[in-house]
Coordinates of all heavy atoms in Angstrom, one line a residue:
M268 N -8.2 -0.7 -1.8 CA -8.4 -2.0 -2.3 C -8.1 -2.1 -3.8 O -8.8 -1.4 -4.6 CB -9.8 -2.5 -2.0 CG -10.1 -3.9 -2.2 SD -9.7 -4.9 -0.7 CE -11.3 -4.7 0.2
G269 N -7.1 -2.9 -4.2 CA -6.8 -3.0 -5.6 C -7.6 -4.2 -6.2 O -8.4 -4.8 -5.6
K270 N -7.2 -4.4 -7.5 CA -7.9 -5.5 -8.2 C -7.6 -6.9 -7.6 O -8.5 -7.7 -7.5 CB -7.5 -5.5 -9.7 CG -8.5 -4.9 -10.6 CD -8.1 -5.0 -12.0 CE -9.0 -4.4 -13.0 NZ -8.6 -4.4 -14.4
H271 N -6.4 -7.1 -7.3 CA -6.0 -8.4 -6.8 C -5.5 -8.5 -5.4 O -5.4 -9.5 -4.8 CB -4.9 -9.0 -7.8 CG -5.3 -9.0 -9.2 ND1 -6.3 -9.9 -9.6 CD2 -4.9 -8.3 -10.2 CE1 -6.4 -9.7 -10.9 NE2 -5.6 -8.7 -11.3
H272 N -5.1 -7.3 -4.9 CA -4.5 -7.2 -3.6 C -5.2 -6.1 -2.8 O -5.8 -5.2 -3.4 CB -3.0 -6.9 -3.6 CG -2.2 -8.0 -4.3 ND1 -1.9 -9.2 -3.7 CD2 -1.7 -8.0 -5.6 CE1 -1.2 -9.9 -4.6 NE2 -1.1 -9.2 -5.7
E273 N -5.0 -6.1 -1.5 CA -5.3 -5.0 -0.7 C -4.1 -4.3 -0.3 O -3.1 -4.8 0.1 CB -6.0 -5.6 0.6 CG -6.8 -4.5 1.4 CD -7.5 -5.1 2.5 OE1 -7.9 -6.3 2.4 OE2 -7.7 -4.4 3.5
Y274 N -4.1 -3.0 -0.5 CA -2.9 -2.2 -0.3 C -3.1 -1.2 0.8 O -4.1 -0.7 1.0 CB -2.5 -1.4 -1.6 CG -2.3 -2.3 -2.8 CD1 -3.1 -2.3 -3.9 CD2 -1.2 -3.1 -2.8 CE1 -2.9 -3.1 -5.0 CE2 -0.9 -3.9 -3.9 CZ -1.8 -3.9 -5.0 OH -1.6 -4.7 -6.0
W275 N -1.9 -0.9 1.5 CA -1.9 0.1 2.5 C -1.5 1.4 1.9 O -0.5 1.4 1.1 CB -0.9 -0.3 3.6 CG -1.3 -1.4 4.4 CD1 -0.8 -2.7 4.3 CD2 -2.3 -1.5 5.4 NE1 -1.4 -3.5 5.2 CE2 -2.4 -2.8 5.9 CE3 -3.2 -0.5 6.0 CZ2 -3.3 -3.2 6.9 CZ3 -4.1 -0.9 7.0 CH2 -4.1 -2.3 7.4
I276 N -2.3 2.4 2.1 CA -2.0 3.7 1.6 C -1.9 4.8 2.7 O -2.7 4.8 3.6 CB -3.1 4.2 0.6 CG1 -2.9 3.4 -0.7 CG2 -3.0 5.7 0.3 CD1 -3.9 3.7 -1.7
D277 N -0.8 5.6 2.7 CA -0.7 6.7 3.6 C -0.6 8.0 2.7 O 0.5 8.2 2.2 CB 0.4 6.5 4.5 CG 0.4 7.6 5.6 OD1 0.0 8.8 5.3 OD2 0.7 7.3 6.8
L278 N -1.6 8.7 2.6 CA -1.6 9.9 1.7 C -0.7 11.0 2.2 O 0.0 11.7 1.4 CB -3.0 10.5 1.5 CG -3.8 10.1 0.3 CD1 -5.0 11.0 0.1 CD2 -2.9 10.2 -1.0
D279 N -0.6 11.1 3.5 CA 0.3 12.1 4.1 C 1.7 11.9 3.8 O 2.5 12.8 3.5 CB 0.1 12.2 5.6 CG -1.3 12.7 6.0 OD1 -1.9 13.4 5.2 OD2 -1.8 12.3 7.1
L280 N 2.1 10.6 3.8 CA 3.5 10.3 3.5 C 3.6 10.0 2.0 O 4.7 9.8 1.5 CB 3.9 9.0 4.2 CG 3.9 9.1 5.8 CD1 4.2 7.8 6.4 CD2 5.0 10.1 6.2
G281 N 2.5 9.9 1.2 CA 2.6 9.5 -0.2 C 3.0 8.1 -0.3 O 3.8 7.8 -1.3
Y282 N 2.6 7.3 0.6 CA 3.1 5.9 0.6 C 2.0 4.9 0.2 O 0.8 5.1 0.5 CB 3.6 5.5 2.0 CG 3.9 4.0 2.1 CD1 5.1 3.5 1.6 CD2 2.9 3.1 2.6 CE1 5.3 2.1 1.6 CE2 3.2 1.8 2.7 CZ 4.4 1.3 2.2 OH 4.6 -0.1 2.2
C283 N 2.3 3.9 -0.6 CA 1.4 2.8 -1.0 C 2.3 1.5 -0.9 O 3.5 1.6 -1.2 CB 0.8 3.0 -2.4 SG -0.3 1.7 -2.9
S284 N 1.6 0.4 -0.6 CA 2.4 -0.8 -0.4 C 2.4 -1.7 -1.7 O 2.9 -2.8 -1.6 CB 1.8 -1.6 0.8 OG 0.5 -2.1 0.4
C285 N 2.0 -1.1 -2.8 CA 1.9 -1.9 -4.0 C 3.3 -1.9 -4.7 O 4.2 -1.1 -4.4 CB 0.9 -1.4 -5.0 SG 1.3 0.2 -5.8
N286 N 3.5 -2.8 -5.7 CA 4.8 -2.9 -6.4 C 5.0 -1.6 -7.2 O 6.2 -1.2 -7.3 CB 4.7 -4.0 -7.4 CG 4.9 -5.4 -6.7 OD1 5.4 -5.4 -5.6 ND2 4.5 -6.4 -7.4
D287 N 4.0 -1.0 -7.8 CA 4.1 0.2 -8.6 C 4.8 1.3 -7.8 O 5.6 2.1 -8.3 CB 2.7 0.6 -9.1 CG 2.8 1.3 -10.4 OD1 3.8 1.0 -11.2 OD2 1.9 2.1 -10.7
Y288 N 4.4 1.3 -6.5 CA 5.0 2.4 -5.7 C 6.5 2.2 -5.6 O 7.3 3.2 -5.8 CB 4.4 2.3 -4.3 CG 5.1 3.3 -3.3 CD1 4.6 4.6 -3.3 CD2 6.1 2.9 -2.5 CE1 5.2 5.5 -2.4 CE2 6.7 3.8 -1.6 CZ 6.3 5.1 -1.6 OH 6.9 5.9 -0.8
Y289 N 7.0 1.0 -5.4 CA 8.4 0.7 -5.3 C 9.1 1.0 -6.6 O 10.2 1.6 -6.6 CB 8.7 -0.7 -4.8 CG 8.3 -0.9 -3.4 CD1 7.1 -1.5 -3.0 CD2 9.1 -0.4 -2.4 CE1 6.7 -1.6 -1.7 CE2 8.7 -0.5 -1.1 CZ 7.5 -1.1 -0.7 OH 7.2 -1.3 0.6
Y290 N 8.5 0.5 -7.7 CA 9.2 0.7 -9.0 C 9.1 2.0 -9.6 O 9.9 2.5 -10.3 CB 8.8 -0.4 -10.0 CG 9.1 -1.8 -9.5 CD1 8.1 -2.8 -9.2 CD2 10.4 -2.2 -9.2 CE1 8.5 -4.0 -8.8 CE2 10.8 -3.4 -8.7 CZ 9.8 -4.4 -8.5 OH 10.1 -5.6 -8.1
R291 N 7.9 2.6 -9.4 CA 7.6 3.9 -10.1 C 7.8 5.1 -9.2 O 8.6 6.0 -9.6 CB 6.1 3.8 -10.6 CG 5.8 4.9 -11.6 CD 4.4 4.7 -12.2 NE 4.0 5.9 -12.8 CZ 2.7 6.2 -13.0 NH1 1.8 5.4 -12.6 NH2 2.4 7.4 -13.5
T292 N 7.1 5.1 -8.1 CA 7.1 6.2 -7.2 C 8.5 6.5 -6.6 O 9.0 7.6 -6.6 CB 6.1 6.1 -6.1 OG1 4.8 5.7 -6.7 CG2 5.9 7.4 -5.3
L293 N 9.1 5.4 -6.2 CA 10.5 5.6 -5.6 C 11.5 5.9 -6.6 O 12.6 6.4 -6.3 CB 10.9 4.4 -4.8 CG 10.0 4.1 -3.5 CD1 10.6 2.9 -2.8 CD2 10.0 5.3 -2.6
S294 N 11.2 5.7 -7.9 CA 12.1 6.1 -9.0 C 11.9 7.5 -9.5 O 12.5 8.0 -10.4 CB 12.0 5.1 -10.1 OG 12.2 3.8 -9.7
G295 N 10.9 8.2 -8.8 CA 10.6 9.6 -9.2 C 9.8 9.7 -10.5 O 9.7 10.7 -11.1
L296 N 9.1 8.6 -10.8 CA 8.3 8.6 -12.1 C 6.9 9.0 -11.9 O 6.0 8.9 -12.8 CB 8.4 7.3 -12.8 CG 9.8 6.8 -13.2 CD1 9.8 5.4 -13.8 CD2 10.4 7.8 -14.2
G297 N 6.5 9.3 -10.6 CA 5.1 9.7 -10.4 C 4.5 8.8 -9.4 O 5.0 7.8 -9.0
M298 N 3.2 9.1 -9.0 CA 2.5 8.3 -8.0 C 2.0 7.1 -8.7 O 1.7 7.0 -9.9 CB 1.3 9.2 -7.5 CG 1.8 10.3 -6.6 SD 0.3 11.1 -5.8 CE -0.4 11.8 -7.3
C299 N 1.8 6.1 -7.8 CA 1.2 4.8 -8.3 C -0.3 5.1 -8.6 O -0.9 6.1 -8.1 CB 1.4 3.7 -7.4 SG 0.4 3.8 -5.9
Y300 N -0.9 4.1 -9.2 CA -2.4 4.2 -9.6 C -3.2 4.5 -8.4 O -4.1 5.3 -8.4 CB -2.8 3.0 -10.3 CG -4.3 2.8 -10.5 CD1 -4.9 3.5 -11.5 CD2 -5.0 2.1 -9.6 CE1 -6.3 3.4 -11.7 CE2 -6.4 2.0 -9.8 CZ -7.0 2.6 -10.8 OH -8.4 2.5 -11.0
H301 N -2.9 3.8 -7.3 CA -3.7 3.9 -6.1 C -3.7 5.2 -5.4 O -4.7 5.8 -5.0 CB -3.3 2.8 -5.1 CG -3.2 1.4 -5.7 ND1 -2.0 0.9 -6.1 CD2 -4.1 0.5 -6.1 CE1 -2.2 -0.3 -6.6 NE2 -3.4 -0.5 -6.6
L302 N -2.5 5.8 -5.3 CA -2.3 7.1 -4.7 C -3.0 8.2 -5.6 O -3.7 9.0 -5.1 CB -0.9 7.5 -4.6 CG -0.1 6.7 -3.4 CD1 1.3 7.0 -3.5 CD2 -0.7 7.2 -2.1
E303 N -2.9 8.0 -6.9 CA -3.6 9.0 -7.8 C -5.1 8.9 -7.6 O -5.8 9.9 -7.6 CB -3.2 8.7 -9.3 CG -1.8 9.3 -9.6 CD -1.4 9.0 -11.0 OE1 -2.2 8.3 -11.7 OE2 -0.4 9.5 -11.5
F304 N -5.5 7.6 -7.6 CA -7.0 7.4 -7.5 C -7.5 7.9 -6.2 O -8.5 8.7 -6.1 CB -7.2 5.9 -7.5 CG -8.7 5.5 -7.4 CD1 -9.5 5.6 -8.5 CD2 -9.2 5.0 -6.2 CE1 -10.9 5.2 -8.4 CE2 -10.5 4.7 -6.1 CZ -11.4 4.8 -7.2
V305 N -6.8 7.7 -5.1 CA -7.3 8.1 -3.8 C -7.3 9.6 -3.7 O -8.2 10.3 -3.1 CB -6.5 7.5 -2.6 CG1 -6.8 8.1 -1.3 CG2 -6.7 6.0 -2.6
K306 N -6.2 10.2 -4.2 CA -6.1 11.7 -4.2 C -7.2 12.3 -4.9 O -7.7 13.4 -4.5 CB -4.7 12.1 -4.8 CG -4.0 13.0 -3.8 CD -2.7 13.4 -4.3 CE -2.0 14.3 -3.3 NZ -0.7 14.8 -3.7
E307 N -7.6 11.7 -6.0 CA -8.8 12.2 -6.8 C -10.1 12.1 -6.0 O -10.9 13.0 -6.0 CB -8.9 11.4 -8.1 CG -8.2 12.0 -9.3 CD -8.4 11.2 -10.5 OE1 -9.4 10.5 -10.7 OE2 -7.4 11.1 -11.3
K308 N -10.2 11.0 -5.3 CA -11.5 10.7 -4.6 C -11.6 11.4 -3.3 O -12.6 11.4 -2.7 CB -11.6 9.2 -4.4 CG -11.8 8.4 -5.7 CD -13.2 8.6 -6.3 CE -13.3 8.0 -7.7 NZ -14.5 8.4 -8.4
I309 N -10.5 11.9 -2.8 CA -10.4 12.4 -1.4 C -11.4 13.6 -1.2 O -11.9 13.8 -0.1 CB -9.0 12.8 -1.0 CG1 -8.8 12.8 0.5 CG2 -8.6 14.2 -1.6 CD1 -8.4 11.5 1.0
N310 N -11.7 14.3 -2.3 CA -12.6 15.4 -2.2 C -14.0 15.0 -2.3 O -14.9 15.7 -1.9 CB -12.3 16.5 -3.3 CG -11.0 17.2 -3.0 OD1 -10.7 17.4 -1.8 ND2 -10.3 17.6 -4.0
S311 N -14.3 13.8 -2.8 CA -15.7 13.3 -2.9 C -15.9 12.5 -1.6 O -16.2 13.0 -0.6 CB -15.9 12.5 -4.2 OG -14.9 11.5 -4.4
R312 N -15.7 11.2 -1.8 CA -16.0 10.3 -0.6 C -15.0 9.2 -0.6 O -14.8 8.5 -1.6 CB -17.4 9.8 -0.6 CG -17.8 9.1 0.7 CD -19.1 8.3 0.5 NE -19.2 7.4 1.6 CZ -18.7 6.2 1.6 NH1 -18.0 5.7 0.6 NH2 -18.9 5.4 2.7
V313 N -14.4 9.0 0.5 CA -13.4 7.9 0.6 C -13.6 7.3 2.0 O -13.8 7.9 3.0 CB -12.0 8.4 0.3 CG1 -11.5 9.3 1.4 CG2 -11.1 7.2 0.2
D314 N -13.5 6.0 2.1 CA -13.5 5.3 3.4 C -12.1 5.3 4.0 O -11.1 4.8 3.4 CB -13.9 3.8 3.2 CG -15.4 3.8 2.9 OD1 -16.2 4.6 3.3 OD2 -15.8 2.8 2.1
T315 N -12.0 5.9 5.1 CA -10.7 6.1 5.8 C -10.7 5.3 7.1 O -11.7 5.4 7.9 CB -10.4 7.6 6.1 OG1 -10.7 8.3 4.9 CG2 -9.0 7.8 6.5
I316 N -9.6 4.6 7.3 CA -9.4 3.9 8.6 C -8.4 4.6 9.4 O -7.3 4.8 8.9 CB -9.0 2.4 8.3 CG1 -10.0 1.7 7.4 CG2 -8.8 1.7 9.7 CD1 -9.5 0.4 6.9
H317 N -8.7 5.0 10.6 CA -7.8 5.7 11.4 C -7.2 4.7 12.4 O -8.0 4.0 13.1 CB -8.4 6.9 12.1 CG -8.8 8.0 11.2 ND1 -7.9 8.9 10.8 CD2 -10.0 8.3 10.6 CE1 -8.6 9.7 9.9 NE2 -9.8 9.4 9.8
F318 N -5.9 4.8 12.6 CA -5.2 3.9 13.5 C -4.8 4.7 14.7 O -4.3 5.9 14.6 CB -4.0 3.2 12.9 CG -4.3 2.3 11.8 CD1 -4.3 2.6 10.5 CD2 -4.7 1.0 12.1 CE1 -4.6 1.7 9.5 CE2 -5.0 0.1 11.1 CZ -5.0 0.4 9.8
S319 N -4.9 4.2 15.9 CA -4.3 4.8 17.0 C -2.9 4.4 17.2 O -2.4 3.4 16.5 CB -5.1 4.4 18.3 OG -4.9 3.1 18.6
D320 N -2.1 5.1 18.0 CA -0.7 4.8 18.1 C -0.4 3.4 18.6 O 0.5 2.7 18.2 CB 0.0 5.8 19.1 CG 0.2 7.1 18.5 OD1 0.0 7.2 17.2 OD2 0.5 8.1 19.2
S321 N -1.4 2.9 19.4 CA -1.2 1.5 20.0 C -1.4 0.5 18.9 O -0.9 -0.7 19.1 CB -2.2 1.3 21.1 OG -3.5 1.4 20.6
E322 N -2.0 0.8 17.8 CA -2.2 -0.1 16.7 C -1.1 -0.1 15.7 O -1.0 -0.8 14.7 CB -3.5 0.2 16.0 CG -4.7 -0.1 16.8 CD -6.0 0.4 16.2 OE1 -6.1 1.6 15.8 OE2 -6.9 -0.4 16.1
Y323 N -0.1 0.9 15.9 CA 0.9 1.1 14.9 C 1.8 -0.1 14.6 O 2.1 -0.4 13.5 CB 1.8 2.3 15.4 CG 2.8 2.7 14.3 CD1 2.4 3.4 13.2 CD2 4.2 2.4 14.5 CE1 3.3 3.8 12.2 CE2 5.1 2.8 13.5 CZ 4.6 3.5 12.4 OH 5.6 3.9 11.5
Y324 N 2.1 -0.8 15.7 CA 3.0 -2.0 15.6 C 2.3 -3.0 14.7 O 3.0 -3.6 13.7 CB 3.3 -2.6 16.9 CG 4.1 -3.9 16.9 CD1 5.5 -3.8 16.6 CD2 3.5 -5.1 17.0 CE1 6.2 -5.0 16.5 CE2 4.2 -6.3 16.9 CZ 5.5 -6.2 16.6 OH 6.3 -7.4 16.5
D325 N 1.1 -3.3 14.9 CA 0.4 -4.3 14.1 C 0.2 -3.9 12.7 O 0.3 -4.7 11.8 CB -1.0 -4.6 14.7 CG -0.9 -5.5 16.0 OD1 0.1 -6.3 16.1 OD2 -1.8 -5.4 16.8
F326 N 0.0 -2.6 12.5 CA -0.1 -2.0 11.2 C 1.2 -2.2 10.4 O 1.2 -2.7 9.3 CB -0.4 -0.5 11.3 CG -0.3 0.2 10.0 CD1 -1.2 0.0 8.9 CD2 0.8 1.1 9.7 CE1 -1.1 0.7 7.7 CE2 0.9 1.7 8.5 CZ 0.0 1.5 7.5
V327 N 2.3 -1.8 11.0 CA 3.6 -2.0 10.3 C 3.9 -3.5 10.0 O 4.3 -3.9 9.0 CB 4.7 -1.4 11.1 CG1 6.1 -1.7 10.5 CG2 4.5 0.1 11.2
K328 N 3.5 -4.3 11.0 CA 3.8 -5.7 10.9 C 3.0 -6.3 9.7 O 3.5 -7.1 8.9 CB 3.3 -6.4 12.2 CG 4.0 -7.7 12.4 CD 3.8 -8.2 13.8 CE 2.8 -9.3 13.8 NZ 2.5 -9.9 15.2
S329 N 1.7 -5.9 9.5 CA 0.9 -6.4 8.4 C 1.4 -5.9 7.1 O 1.4 -6.6 6.1 CB -0.6 -6.1 8.6 OG -0.8 -4.7 8.7
V330 N 1.9 -4.6 7.1 CA 2.5 -4.1 5.8 C 3.7 -4.9 5.4 O 3.9 -5.3 4.3 CB 2.8 -2.6 6.0 CG1 3.7 -2.1 4.8 CG2 1.6 -1.7 6.1
V331 N 4.6 -5.1 6.4 CA 5.8 -5.9 6.1 C 5.5 -7.3 5.7 O 6.0 -7.8 4.7 CB 6.7 -5.9 7.3 CG1 7.9 -6.9 7.2 CG2 7.3 -4.5 7.6
N332 N 4.5 -7.9 6.3 CA 4.1 -9.2 6.0 C 3.5 -9.3 4.6 O 3.8 -10.2 3.8 CB 3.1 -9.7 7.0 CG 2.8 -11.2 6.9 OD1 3.8 -12.0 6.8 ND2 1.6 -11.6 7.0
D333 N 2.6 -8.3 4.3 CA 2.0 -8.3 2.9 C 3.1 -8.2 1.9 O 3.0 -8.9 0.8 CB 1.1 -7.0 2.8 CG -0.2 -7.2 3.4 OD1 -0.5 -8.4 3.9 OD2 -1.0 -6.3 3.5
N334 N 4.1 -7.4 2.1 CA 5.1 -7.2 1.1 C 6.0 -8.4 1.0 O 6.4 -8.8 -0.1 CB 6.0 -5.9 1.4 CG 5.3 -4.7 1.0 OD1 5.1 -4.4 -0.2 ND2 4.9 -3.9 2.0
Y335 N 6.3 -9.0 2.1 CA 7.0 -10.3 2.1 C 6.4 -11.3 1.3 O 7.0 -12.0 0.5 CB 7.3 -10.7 3.6 CG 7.9 -12.1 3.7 CD1 9.2 -12.3 3.4 CD2 7.1 -13.2 4.0 CE1 9.8 -13.5 3.4 CE2 7.7 -14.5 4.1 CZ 9.0 -14.6 3.8 OH 9.6 -15.9 3.8
L336 N 5.0 -11.5 1.5 CA 4.3 -12.5 0.8 C 4.3 -12.2 -0.7 O 4.4 -13.1 -1.5 CB 2.9 -12.6 1.3 CG 2.7 -13.2 2.7 CD1 1.3 -13.1 3.2 CD2 3.2 -14.6 2.8
M337 N 4.1 -10.9 -1.0 CA 4.1 -10.5 -2.4 C 5.4 -10.8 -3.1 O 5.4 -11.4 -4.2 CB 3.8 -9.0 -2.5 CG 3.0 -8.6 -3.7 SD 2.4 -6.9 -3.8 CE 2.8 -6.1 -2.2
I338 N 6.5 -10.4 -2.5 CA 7.8 -10.7 -3.1 C 8.1 -12.2 -3.2 O 8.6 -12.7 -4.2 CB 8.9 -10.0 -2.2 CG1 8.8 -8.5 -2.3 CG2 10.3 -10.5 -2.6 CD1 9.6 -7.8 -1.2
R339 N 7.7 -12.9 -2.2 CA 7.9 -14.4 -2.1 C 7.1 -15.0 -3.3 O 7.6 -15.9 -3.9 CB 7.4 -14.9 -0.8 CG 8.0 -16.2 -0.4 CD 7.7 -16.6 0.9 NE 7.7 -18.1 1.0 CZ 6.8 -18.8 1.7 NH1 5.9 -18.2 2.5 NH2 6.9 -20.1 1.7
N340 N 5.8 -14.6 -3.5 CA 5.0 -15.2 -4.5 C 5.6 -14.9 -5.9 O 5.4 -15.7 -6.8 CB 3.6 -14.6 -4.4 CG 2.8 -15.2 -3.3 OD1 3.2 -16.2 -2.7 ND2 1.8 -14.5 -2.8
E341 N 6.2 -13.7 -6.1 CA 6.7 -13.3 -7.4 C 7.9 -14.2 -7.7 O 8.2 -14.5 -8.8 CB 7.1 -11.9 -7.4 CG 5.8 -11.0 -7.7 CD 6.1 -9.5 -7.5 OE1 7.3 -9.2 -7.3 OE2 5.1 -8.8 -7.5
K342 N 8.7 -14.5 -6.7 CA 9.9 -15.2 -6.9 C 9.7 -16.7 -7.0 O 10.5 -17.5 -7.3 CB 10.9 -15.0 -5.8 CG 11.6 -13.6 -5.9 CD 12.6 -13.4 -4.8 CE 13.4 -12.1 -5.0 NZ 14.3 -11.8 -3.9
G343 N 8.5 -17.1 -6.6 CA 8.1 -18.5 -6.6 C 8.9 -19.2 -5.5 O 9.2 -18.7 -4.5
D344 N 9.3 -20.4 -5.7 CA 10.0 -21.2 -4.7 C 11.5 -21.2 -4.9 O 12.3 -21.8 -4.2 CB 9.6 -22.7 -4.7 CG 8.1 -22.8 -4.2 OD1 7.8 -22.0 -3.3 OD2 7.4 -23.7 -4.7
L345 N 12.0 -20.4 -5.9 CA 13.4 -20.3 -6.2 C 14.2 -19.5 -5.2 O 15.3 -19.8 -4.9 CB 13.6 -19.7 -7.6 CG 13.0 -20.5 -8.8 CD1 13.1 -19.7 -10.1 CD2 13.7 -21.8 -8.9
G346 N 13.5 -18.5 -4.6 CA 14.2 -17.6 -3.7 C 14.4 -18.4 -2.4 O 15.1 -18.0 -1.5
Ligands
ZN102 ZN1 -0.3 1.7 -5.2

């Protein structure tokens, strides 16, 4: 859970759905804040949600939808 958004994180894949991930992590500049934070906390206590395979479609759908809304909001009504 971020400050303004809720992000999807997959530590095994090193994936996060935030903007920082796309601009920073995919450019090879290091992990985003969320991944770093979760990795630090993983040894103490972290709330983890496990999905079954049957929930995978809805999971991916919500990730795509979240990113679509985020991109759309940043572009305003011009896009
Ligand atoms: Zn992130």
Side-chain angles (χ1 to χ4, degrees):
M268 192 87 84
K270 255 185 183 175
H271 304 291
H272 298 284
E273 195 174 332
Y274 300 112
W275 292 104
I276 288 181
D277 190 322
L278 261 191
D279 293 335
L280 296 175
Y282 172 79
C283 179
S284 66
C285 75
N286 284 340
D287 211 26
Y288 176 83
Y289 289 102
Y290 296 121
R291 193 173 161 204
T292 309
L293 291 183
S294 303
L296 299 174
M298 290 186 293
C299 74
Y300 169 80
H301 311 100
L302 285 171
E303 279 178 357
F304 180 80
V305 171
K306 231 177 180 179
E307 267 177 33
K308 293 285 172 189
I309 203 88
N310 288 327
S311 50
R312 187 193 167 273
V313 64
D314 291 326
T315 311
I316 303 169
H317 292 278
F318 293 99
S319 69
D320 286 349
S321 61
E322 292 170 307
Y323 186 72
Y324 175 77
D325 284 334
F326 167 73
V327 170
K328 206 168 104 177
S329 61
V330 168
V331 170
N332 192 44
D333 280 356
N334 281 293
Y335 171 74
L336 290 175
M337 212 174 350
I338 290 165
R339 204 174 149 214
N340 288 340
E341 281 170 8
K342 286 185 175 173
D344 291 328
L345 296 174

